[in-house]
Amino acid sequence: QVQLVESGGGLVQPGGSLRLSCAASGFSLDLYSIGWFRQAPGKEREVVSCITTRDGSTYYVSMKGRITISRDVAKKMVYLQMNSLKPEDTAVYYCAAERGSTCPGARRADYWGQGTQVTVSS
């Protein structure tokens, strides 16, 4: 059974850090590109970052300079390290998988996780 499960969200003060994890099961990260997305209340889902299959190329769309995406293919894990968090980073963060070397899109992915809440507040 294919599944993506996010974890690592929570409440953090402005300027703090969190590392989100995305656990994949039922498929290999050698065949799927993984993206991180977020959706704030009242806003559309937006892409944050992506790491592709094959050579593990990384792409950053939002939160540039404050995040790092990485993966452990053997453990089937993808991580999103987030630093210098701001209140406007508050959102539900999702990981998604797309087969092949193309990054998943906000409205196009083969599989989605259920999301993890990140709240940045003092």
Side-chain angles (χ1 to χ4, degrees):
Q1 182 180 359
V2 173
Q3 195 173 18
L4 292 169
V5 180
E6 302 94 335
S7 61
L11 175 64
V12 63
Q13 292 187 342
S17 298
L18 282 175
R19 188 178 82 154
L20 305 183
S21 299
C22 174
S25 59
F27 65 94
S28 172
L29 294 184
D30 284 334
L31 298 177
Y32 284 78
S33 297
I34 304 295
W36 281 100
F37 300 81
R38 65 182 182 179
Q39 187 167 19
K43 295 186 177 181
E44 293 193 354
R45 186 175 298 178
E46 64 174 1
V47 61
V48 175
S49 183
C50 171
I51 186 165
T52 64
T53 185
R54 297 184 182 178
D55 61 359
S57 297
T58 58
Y59 301 90
Y60 299 98
V61 179
S62 59
M63 305 176 71
K64 290 181 179 179
R66 299 189 289 124
I67 59 171
T68 303
I69 188 171
S70 61
R71 67 178 184 177
D72 186 326
V73 175
K75 294 183 178 179
K76 294 188 175 183
M77 297 291 294
V78 178
Y79 306 100
L80 186 69
Q81 177 67 43
M82 306 189 296
N83 302 319
S84 303
L85 285 164
K86 306 174 182 179
E88 51 263 42
D89 295 321
T90 295
V92 179
Y93 286 71
Y94 301 88
C95 62
E98 178 82 5
R99 188 178 178 95
S101 57
T102 301
C103 289
R107 298 183 180 183
R108 184 203 74 249
D110 291 329
Y111 308 109
W112 287 92
Q114 83 291 345
T116 185
Q117 176 70 47
V118 172
T119 302
V120 185
S121 175
S122 56

